[in-house]
Amino acid sequence: VTWFACAFLALFGLGVFNLSARAAELPELTPAFLSNNLFIFICAVLVIFMNAGFAMVEAGLCRQKNAVNILTKNLIVFGLAVSSYWLVGYSLMYGDPIIPGWLFLKGLFFDPAVTPEMVTDAALVPSVDFLFQAAFAGTSATIVSGLVAERIKFAPFVLFSIIKCGIIYPIGAAWIWNGGGWLKSIGFMDFAGSTVVHGMGAWGGLVGAIILGPRLGKFISGKPQALPGHNLAIATLGALILWIGWYGFNPGSNLAMDQNVPYIAVTTTLAASAGGIAAAITSQLTSGKPDISMVINGILAGLVSITAGCDGFGMVAAWVIGFLGGVLVVFSVKWLDALNIDDPVGAWSVHGTCGIWGTLAVGLFNLEHGLFTGHGLAQLGIQLVGVIAIAIEAIITGIIVWNILGAFFDGIRVTEPEEYEGLDIGEHGMEAYPEFVQARR
Amino acid sequence: VTWFACAFLALFGLGVFNLSARAAELPELTPAFLSNNLFIFICAVLVIFMNAGFAMVEAGLCRQKNAVNILTKNLIVFGLAVSSYWLVGYSLMYGDPIIPGWLFLKGLFFDPAVTPEMVTDAALVPSVDFLFQAAFAGTSATIVSGLVAERIKFAPFVLFSIIKCGIIYPIGAAWIWNGGGWLKSIGFMDFAGSTVVHGMGAWGGLVGAIILGPRLGKFISGKPQALPGHNLAIATLGALILWIGWYGFNPGSNLAMDQNVPYIAVTTTLAASAGGIAAAITSQLTSGKPDISMVINGILAGLVSITAGCDGFGMVAAWVIGFLGGVLVVFSVKWLDALNIDDPVGAWSVHGTCGIWGTLAVGLFNLEHGLFTGHGLAQLGIQLVGVIAIAIEAIITGIIVWNILGAFFDGIRVTEPEEYEGLDIGEHGMEAYPEFVQARR
Amino acid sequence: VTWFACAFLALFGLGVFNLSARAAELPELTPAFLSNNLFIFICAVLVIFMNAGFAMVEAGLCRQKNAVNILTKNLIVFGLAVSSYWLVGYSLMYGDPIIPGWLFLKGLFFDPAVTPEMVTDAALVPSVDFLFQAAFAGTSATIVSGLVAERIKFAPFVLFSIIKCGIIYPIGAAWIWNGGGWLKSIGFMDFAGSTVVHGMGAWGGLVGAIILGPRLGKFISGKPQALPGHNLAIATLGALILWIGWYGFNPGSNLAMDQNVPYIAVTTTLAASAGGIAAAITSQLTSGKPDISMVINGILAGLVSITAGCDGFGMVAAWVIGFLGGVLVVFSVKWLDALNIDDPVGAWSVHGTCGIWGTLAVGLFNLEHGLFTGHGLAQLGIQLVGVIAIAIEAIITGIIVWNILGAFFDGIRVTEPEEYEGLDIGEHGMEAYPEFVQARR
């Protein structure tokens, strides 16, 4: 309580003096200013809506006994992401160079001041850019959630998310999305974040999943066992919400309303469509039946695959890239199983495998730089550098942070009896559906 | 696999050469261009969100044992719709006349090129129009899904959807929405598609439902039996998502942002409100209690009823049209039961009956052409012609395609033991809620 | 039936003559006109989407046996709100003075006519303002729903909602949001309705909850018993939908697209984030575990707390206000329990307690009028007057209307056996999940 009181007083002090937040007198608003800011506002809302999608997909594809835990994680993660990204993340991502190319900073707390110049040259006001970027930061933490589901303690997950969104993600993202970033300067292309957001989250989560080890009963004598999701209705809903949310994620990354926005929306749609179709066909061919969890992951795979280059692919290429993403995701699930790494909802396969694929696809299919469009191998090499650089950052920081948290909390994994009974009882003292009789644990 | 490889190679080829997708140099973007394209982009997103609404309504109003099947159908249908509409549907709908008035075509694959002229005269860029129209195509297939639920095989449903969205729907829709269509030339009015989208889907589905016959146990000695939906929470959610989605469907059909957009949103809202109220009152009066599935269908009935003329009704008329839609839908369910036709979720009653009602209502209440606004019977006659023409197209093609599929797949209906056990196990090998104990099949 | 027929004929008459709904000739649409109307249209859609959020939160946090009842109430309430607000509410809220400062009116039925002047000075067209305001009216009734859940008869709830949205809410809201309202003239500030919408609904519902008395088994010898919600997955989804919907509620209250819109979205986001974090911490500290229903209510508490002053707080202040809202909501639930008042979903604590807090916070933190920003106590006093004035209006009308309804319906509470069995069977004759075996009532 004392700690709270002190923190409050400090924040109150800052709040009281944080007066000059907005410029009073602005020139007339130009049409481009109005439509750009309205557009990014809407896109930010759509990306924030993705939290609902991730929550439903992850909860639905896990078991009932861990549903409250997963839902709570997803509810709180976005609040933590916004808070830490506001405190320091935005500054790390869009600040002034400290180590040119590699590290940036511009003080604590995001500064929302609007200047008259911003209005006349049709740019975005800082608030809307912050909101859009904070929503992206939240996504990279949500992906982690899926990989460590059903066995991680609540407190270390919460702390990892704060560090991920506030420090790890913005430092890496600055390499490409800060104008002075070294990956940008070598020509790395990741339009909406196949690597910067999805890969970033997937690598951090993969490290967590390996450190945690598989869930009880997932691998018996090394053979993967089916632990089916408890509510495929909400998982389906989640996938369709994510599909919608991606119309903020990809077109919004254009950061301006122009004729490219609908084009990006179309390549995104084609890739999602093809990914779902591909996963349905692939699961039919490999397991004899169209598996709904594969269709869900196929749609998401298509979306992740198109994210890096959605602005610069031809339409047929977009469809093919999504289709291959949908095929890849099915096999990636099998590869991970073969390695005895437990990824409960397929988050690695969707965001990691297809994040890599989508980033490399820019080097193959981009209309102005791709190998298959007659522009040689150079871009493909640069894409590979970017993939590896972000992977290294996410893996190293992941190893460090997970291990520090493990030391602090006496391990990041719940006890065996708690895991057996379910994290809902152990971590939250409640059940998601207390009135429905459960068939099995 | 070989077939796959060949198809891929062909598509790769096309992708590689599909380079000139977008114009490089455009003049300054005008205010109307910006707001029109932003508006239709948003509307397209809202219409695509309707997929989540349809999935939840249909799954929620059916039985648990078929939930995975219904969810998978709804997940995959939009992907198939987009793909086939992109391949040929858009070309059939907005192409150049082959048989003037009746058949149009403009090659394979939708062409997204933006020309400078498009920007200066404030029109829509092709991509955004494609996205919006593809979402509409998807709707007409989703409606079919409801009518054939709980007994159709997965593969023939998938193929029907492809044909419906790629060929049947665009050919009929071109009659009114292609500038050279014969229904347009005689003055048929269907602003947002009560007949073109909803009627189109409902007739095709009705043919399927009749060919399939009723579900096991639906009619015992000709008397309809209640087969209650398994999850009314998600069905309610679905209805409210569809309500939201309709703000893309109806206002978006204005195809430009102007002062009519909010007006259309208001008539749409009044009709939905009145439809829900009417169905609650009607079910109270006919069965003694307000039935939630009727309130859901009443809201949807109000929305379908207003769709054809949402731009040209007075507000009181809009409310009344929605109200009558909500009354009609309750009786329509009873009529279909009396005919021993099994429509598991009331899709015919919502989209067919109210699609007809809404289309005819234009001839009664339209402010400039309606009988009750003093403009004679002419428009009502034209509306009837349009309703019948689309019905004939949808019924004949439905009979042909369902029968061909039946011949190909040894019938389109699952076996009796599979239907009894549920399509989730039979078609997908999984359950939607494997941990909740089921009371009955 | 006769009554229906007469009502129809009357409405038909009005519909037929309601011809001059829209202006035919308008000058060229200005950029500000286009973006303002598009923006408010989108915000209205987001606010209407909140109905889905409220439905899922309320149903999820109540017991399974009352789910159909809650879902039906939420489905029908918005239709009733729109209809009554259209009939008379908008006229009472934005009409001409009858008793200057206190009572306004401008005939029956909202008038949608657009004049050329509206276009040239960049204002909103009447339809879009109506739609946005009607969605707000619906919110105030939905809040009531939560407070009276699980024990109220369906018919009196429906009638209360009509009166609330059509008469009680608009009369009080006119005091501040009609240009001639007395609360506006004394300088009361409630930007998006912490008091006008949320307080208004919460006070009316609180009166209902007290008149109804607690649910069977809620208090045993005065000690509160846990009656856990039946479906925390949909409750979580509902909270995230409400979060999204608030981006229509708060930024939309700016009533124009400008640089303040994103700023308001950011303060709203920070408050929601902090509210969720605060409630998680507070429930951890007070009960030993992070309670998901508290996190849900904490997020909503943060949102309600920021609503009154979201346009005029510094960012740190916004975070702190949300955080304190999240703390308050946890204790408010305990206070209400201590008073043996039964608020099944915490609606009073979210909308009442935090509505008061948020309104007073304007007097403390507003950058131009707040005590803590060096502007003295005057505004805080005015805020208190506004809170009390709306409370008095909502309480007195609540007492009158609930008691009249009670006299009419032989009490507004269902019978004890019906409540024990559940309102789904008693009021609707159906169950929400008929196939899942229930563990307990």
Side-chain angles (χ1 to χ4, degrees):
Chain A
V1 174
T2 319
W3 184 86
F4 265 160
C6 294
F8 274 4
L9 284 176
L11 288 166
F12 267 74
L14 286 161
V16 169
F17 297 107
N18 188 16
L19 297 183
S20 58
R22 292 173 293 151
E25 291 298 323
L26 293 176
E28 206 193 342
L29 308 177
T30 68
F33 175 85
L34 286 168
S35 58
N36 288 344
N37 282 283
L38 177 53
F39 169 60
I40 299 298
F41 164 69
I42 295 162
C43 289
V45 172
L46 287 169
V47 178
I48 294 170
F49 194 30
M50 291 172 74
N51 287 295
F54 281 119
M56 294 299 110
V57 167
E58 187 185 344
L61 293 182
C62 287
R63 286 164 299 171
Q64 181 274 333
K65 65 181 178 183
N66 301 313
V68 167
N69 180 252
I70 290 167
L71 296 165
T72 312
K73 284 195 306 180
N74 277 278
L75 267 179
I76 203 81
V77 140
F78 184 60
L80 298 168
V82 166
S83 300
S84 61
Y85 194 75
W86 167 64
L87 184 67
V88 68
Y90 190 85
S91 167
L92 282 167
M93 192 156 157
Y94 291 106
D96 307 317
I98 304 293
I99 306 173
W102 292 83
L103 190 64
F104 306 83
L105 198 68
K106 199 177 180 173
L108 283 188
F109 291 111
F110 154 74
D111 175 9
V114 178
T115 66
E117 289 72 32
M118 288 175 188
V119 175
T120 43
D121 73 352
L124 299 175
V125 298
S127 301
V128 85
D129 188 48
F130 168 75
L131 195 67
F132 188 69
Q133 301 299 341
F136 269 57
T139 301
S140 77
T142 309
I143 294 164
V144 175
S145 176
L147 272 146
V148 299
E150 303 204 278
R151 56 208 192 282
I152 197 168
K153 288 180 185 165
F154 189 68
F157 171 77
V158 161
L159 291 171
F160 187 85
S161 298
I162 295 174
I163 296 164
K164 185 90 189 175
C165 299
I167 299 173
I168 299 174
Y169 164 75
I171 288 178
W175 298 349
I176 155 87
W177 287 343
N178 184 310
W182 73 271
L183 277 173
K184 186 181 186 76
S185 70
I186 65 168
F188 178 58
M189 298 170 76
D190 189 1
F191 186 73
S194 287
T195 283
V196 178
V197 181
H198 296 277
M200 174 72 83
W203 285 112
L206 187 66
V207 171
I210 292 170
I211 292 175
L212 282 165
R215 291 166 293 171
L216 294 177
K218 176 62 192 174
F219 298 102
I220 296 181
S221 322
K223 280 197 60 178
Q225 309 296 312
L227 299 176
H230 84 286
N231 190 334
L232 297 178
I234 62 170
T236 300
L237 176 66
L240 291 169
I241 290 175
L242 287 170
W243 189 325
I244 297 304
W246 238 282
Y247 292 115
F249 208 91
N250 284 5
S253 293
N254 195 47
L255 295 177
M257 180 63 213
D258 61 25
Q259 76 288 350
N260 293 326
V261 164
Y263 185 81
I264 294 165
V266 170
T267 57
T268 301
T269 308
L270 291 173
S273 300
I277 293 169
I281 295 173
T282 310
S283 76
Q284 172 87 46
L285 294 177
T286 60
S287 70
K289 311 239 178 185
D291 180 328
I292 188 171
S293 62
M294 285 301 169
V295 179
I296 289 171
N297 278 335
I299 288 170
L300 303 182
L303 289 164
V304 172
S305 300
I306 199 71
T307 294
C310 51
D311 64 324
F313 294 137
M315 288 195 174
V316 175
W319 197 92
V320 170
I321 289 163
F323 192 94
L324 293 177
V327 174
L328 265 176
V329 79
V330 176
F331 287 104
S332 175
V333 166
K334 292 182 196 299
W335 298 331
L336 227 59
D337 274 349
L339 293 168
N340 279 14
I341 298 172
D342 186 9
D343 174 13
V345 302
W348 167 261
S349 299
V350 167
H351 302 279
T353 302
C354 293
I356 296 170
W357 158 236
T359 310
L360 298 181
V362 174
L364 299 174
F365 292 101
N366 181 280
L367 292 173
E368 286 161 26
H369 301 279
L371 176 63
F372 295 166
T373 56
H375 299 84
L377 271 164
Q379 189 64 39
L380 188 61
I382 295 171
Q383 296 302 104
L384 197 61
V385 170
V387 166
I388 293 169
I390 294 293
I392 290 173
E393 196 240 353
I395 291 169
I396 291 179
T397 54
I399 292 172
I400 295 170
V401 175
W402 285 124
N403 277 297
I404 292 175
L405 290 169
F408 211 76
F409 285 93
D410 194 19
I412 56 173
R413 182 161 178 161
V414 298
T415 63
E416 202 163 305
E418 179 177 337
E419 186 179 339
Y420 185 78
E421 195 188 20
L423 277 66
D424 291 2
I425 297 297
E427 299 289 287
H428 304 278
M430 57 204 311
E431 294 172 87
Y433 316 91
E435 300 185 51
F436 297 158
V437 175
Q438 309 301 324
R440 47 182 137 114
R441 290 276 169 196
Chain B
V1 173
T2 319
W3 184 84
F4 266 158
C6 295
F8 275 1
L9 284 176
L11 287 165
F12 266 76
L14 285 161
V16 170
F17 297 107
N18 188 16
L19 296 183
S20 58
R22 294 174 292 151
E25 290 297 323
L26 292 177
E28 205 192 343
L29 307 177
T30 69
F33 175 85
L34 287 168
S35 58
N36 287 345
N37 283 283
L38 177 53
F39 169 62
I40 298 299
F41 164 68
I42 295 162
C43 288
V45 172
L46 286 169
V47 177
I48 294 170
F49 194 29
M50 290 173 75
N51 288 296
F54 281 119
M56 294 298 111
V57 167
E58 188 185 344
L61 294 181
C62 287
R63 286 165 298 171
Q64 180 276 334
K65 65 181 178 183
N66 300 314
V68 167
N69 179 253
I70 290 168
L71 295 165
T72 311
K73 284 195 306 178
N74 277 278
L75 267 179
I76 203 81
V77 140
F78 185 59
L80 298 168
V82 166
S83 300
S84 60
Y85 194 75
W86 167 65
L87 184 68
V88 66
Y90 190 86
S91 166
L92 281 167
M93 192 156 155
Y94 292 106
D96 306 316
I98 302 294
I99 306 172
W102 292 82
L103 191 64
F104 306 84
L105 199 68
K106 199 178 180 172
L108 281 190
F109 291 111
F110 154 73
D111 175 10
V114 178
T115 66
E117 290 72 31
M118 287 175 191
V119 175
T120 44
D121 72 353
L124 299 175
V125 297
S127 300
V128 85
D129 187 48
F130 168 75
L131 194 66
F132 188 70
Q133 300 300 341
F136 270 57
T139 302
S140 77
T142 310
I143 294 163
V144 174
S145 176
L147 272 146
V148 300
E150 304 205 275
R151 56 208 191 283
I152 197 167
K153 288 178 185 168
F154 189 69
F157 172 77
V158 161
L159 291 171
F160 186 85
S161 299
I162 295 173
I163 297 164
K164 185 88 189 177
C165 300
I167 299 172
I168 299 175
Y169 164 76
I171 288 179
W175 297 349
I176 154 86
W177 287 343
N178 184 309
W182 72 273
L183 277 172
K184 185 181 187 74
S185 70
I186 65 166
F188 179 58
M189 298 170 77
D190 189 0
F191 186 73
S194 287
T195 283
V196 177
V197 181
H198 296 277
M200 174 74 81
W203 286 111
L206 187 66
V207 171
I210 292 171
I211 292 175
L212 283 164
R215 291 167 293 170
L216 294 177
K218 176 62 191 174
F219 298 102
I220 297 183
S221 322
K223 279 197 59 178
Q225 308 295 313
L227 299 176
H230 84 287
N231 191 333
L232 297 179
I234 62 171
T236 299
L237 176 67
L240 291 169
I241 290 175
L242 286 170
W243 189 326
I244 297 304
W246 238 281
Y247 292 116
F249 208 89
N250 284 4
S253 293
N254 196 48
L255 295 177
M257 179 63 213
D258 60 27
Q259 76 288 350
N260 293 326
V261 163
Y263 185 81
I264 293 166
V266 170
T267 56
T268 301
T269 309
L270 291 173
S273 300
I277 293 169
I281 295 173
T282 311
S283 75
Q284 173 86 46
L285 294 178
T286 58
S287 70
K289 309 240 179 185
D291 181 328
I292 190 172
S293 62
M294 284 303 169
V295 179
I296 290 171
N297 278 335
I299 288 170
L300 303 182
L303 289 164
V304 172
S305 301
I306 200 70
T307 293
C310 51
D311 65 324
F313 294 138
M315 288 196 174
V316 176
W319 197 92
V320 170
I321 290 163
F323 192 93
L324 293 177
V327 174
L328 265 177
V329 80
V330 177
F331 288 103
S332 175
V333 167
K334 292 182 197 296
W335 298 331
L336 227 58
D337 275 349
L339 292 169
N340 280 13
I341 297 171
D342 186 9
D343 174 13
V345 302
W348 167 260
S349 298
V350 167
H351 302 279
T353 302
C354 293
I356 295 170
W357 158 236
T359 309
L360 298 182
V362 174
L364 299 173
F365 292 100
N366 181 277
L367 292 173
E368 285 161 26
H369 301 280
L371 175 64
F372 295 166
T373 57
H375 297 86
L377 273 162
Q379 190 64 38
L380 188 61
I382 295 170
Q383 296 302 104
L384 197 60
V385 170
V387 166
I388 292 169
I390 295 293
I392 291 173
E393 195 239 353
I395 291 170
I396 291 178
T397 53
I399 291 172
I400 294 170
V401 176
W402 285 124
N403 277 296
I404 291 174
L405 290 169
F408 212 76
F409 286 94
D410 194 19
I412 57 173
R413 184 161 178 160
V414 298
T415 64
E416 203 163 305
E418 179 177 337
E419 185 180 340
Y420 184 78
E421 194 188 21
L423 276 65
D424 291 1
I425 297 297
E427 300 288 289
H428 305 278
M430 57 204 310
E431 295 172 88
Y433 315 92
E435 301 186 51
F436 296 158
V437 175
Q438 309 300 324
R440 48 183 135 109
R441 291 278 169 195
Chain C
V1 174
T2 319
W3 184 85
F4 265 159
C6 294
F8 274 3
L9 284 176
L11 288 165
F12 266 75
L14 286 161
V16 169
F17 297 107
N18 188 15
L19 296 183
S20 57
R22 292 174 292 151
E25 290 298 324
L26 292 178
E28 205 192 341
L29 306 178
T30 68
F33 175 85
L34 287 168
S35 58
N36 287 344
N37 283 284
L38 177 53
F39 168 61
I40 299 298
F41 164 68
I42 295 162
C43 289
V45 171
L46 286 169
V47 178
I48 294 170
F49 194 30
M50 292 173 73
N51 288 295
F54 281 119
M56 293 299 109
V57 167
E58 187 184 345
L61 293 181
C62 287
R63 286 164 297 172
Q64 180 275 334
K65 65 182 177 182
N66 301 312
V68 166
N69 180 253
I70 290 167
L71 295 165
T72 311
K73 284 195 305 179
N74 277 278
L75 266 180
I76 203 83
V77 141
F78 184 60
L80 298 168
V82 165
S83 300
S84 60
Y85 194 76
W86 167 64
L87 184 67
V88 68
Y90 190 85
S91 166
L92 282 166
M93 194 156 155
Y94 292 106
D96 307 317
I98 303 294
I99 306 173
W102 293 82
L103 191 64
F104 305 83
L105 199 68
K106 199 176 178 172
L108 284 188
F109 292 111
F110 154 75
D111 175 9
V114 178
T115 66
E117 289 73 32
M118 288 175 190
V119 175
T120 44
D121 73 354
L124 300 174
V125 297
S127 300
V128 85
D129 187 49
F130 168 75
L131 194 68
F132 188 69
Q133 301 299 341
F136 270 56
T139 302
S140 77
T142 311
I143 294 163
V144 175
S145 175
L147 272 147
V148 299
E150 303 205 276
R151 58 208 192 281
I152 197 167
K153 289 178 184 167
F154 189 69
F157 172 78
V158 161
L159 291 171
F160 186 84
S161 299
I162 295 174
I163 297 165
K164 185 90 188 175
C165 299
I167 299 174
I168 298 175
Y169 164 76
I171 287 178
W175 298 349
I176 156 87
W177 286 343
N178 184 309
W182 71 272
L183 278 173
K184 185 181 187 76
S185 69
I186 66 168
F188 178 59
M189 298 170 75
D190 189 2
F191 186 73
S194 286
T195 283
V196 177
V197 181
H198 296 277
M200 174 72 83
W203 285 111
L206 188 66
V207 171
I210 292 171
I211 291 174
L212 283 165
R215 291 167 293 170
L216 293 176
K218 175 64 191 172
F219 299 103
I220 297 180
S221 322
K223 281 197 58 176
Q225 308 296 313
L227 299 175
H230 85 286
N231 190 333
L232 297 179
I234 62 170
T236 300
L237 176 67
L240 291 169
I241 289 175
L242 286 170
W243 189 326
I244 297 305
W246 238 283
Y247 292 115
F249 207 90
N250 284 4
S253 293
N254 195 48
L255 295 178
M257 179 63 212
D258 60 27
Q259 76 287 352
N260 293 324
V261 163
Y263 185 81
I264 293 167
V266 170
T267 57
T268 301
T269 308
L270 291 173
S273 300
I277 293 169
I281 295 173
T282 310
S283 75
Q284 173 87 45
L285 294 178
T286 58
S287 70
K289 310 240 178 185
D291 180 327
I292 190 172
S293 62
M294 286 301 168
V295 179
I296 289 171
N297 278 335
I299 288 170
L300 303 183
L303 290 164
V304 172
S305 301
I306 200 70
T307 294
C310 51
D311 64 324
F313 294 139
M315 287 195 175
V316 176
W319 197 92
V320 171
I321 289 163
F323 192 93
L324 293 177
V327 174
L328 264 177
V329 79
V330 177
F331 287 104
S332 175
V333 166
K334 292 181 198 297
W335 299 330
L336 226 59
D337 275 350
L339 293 169
N340 278 15
I341 298 171
D342 186 9
D343 175 12
V345 301
W348 168 260
S349 298
V350 166
H351 302 279
T353 303
C354 293
I356 295 170
W357 158 237
T359 309
L360 298 181
V362 174
L364 298 173
F365 292 100
N366 182 278
L367 292 173
E368 284 161 26
H369 300 280
L371 176 64
F372 295 167
T373 56
H375 297 85
L377 272 161
Q379 190 65 38
L380 189 60
I382 294 171
Q383 296 302 104
L384 197 60
V385 170
V387 166
I388 294 169
I390 295 293
I392 291 174
E393 196 239 351
I395 292 170
I396 290 179
T397 54
I399 292 172
I400 294 170
V401 176
W402 285 125
N403 276 296
I404 291 174
L405 290 169
F408 212 76
F409 285 94
D410 195 19
I412 57 174
R413 183 160 178 162
V414 298
T415 64
E416 203 164 302
E418 178 177 336
E419 185 179 340
Y420 184 78
E421 195 189 20
L423 276 66
D424 291 2
I425 298 295
E427 300 289 288
H428 305 277
M430 58 204 311
E431 294 173 87
Y433 315 92
E435 299 185 52
F436 296 158
V437 175
Q438 310 300 322
R440 46 183 136 113
R441 289 277 169 198

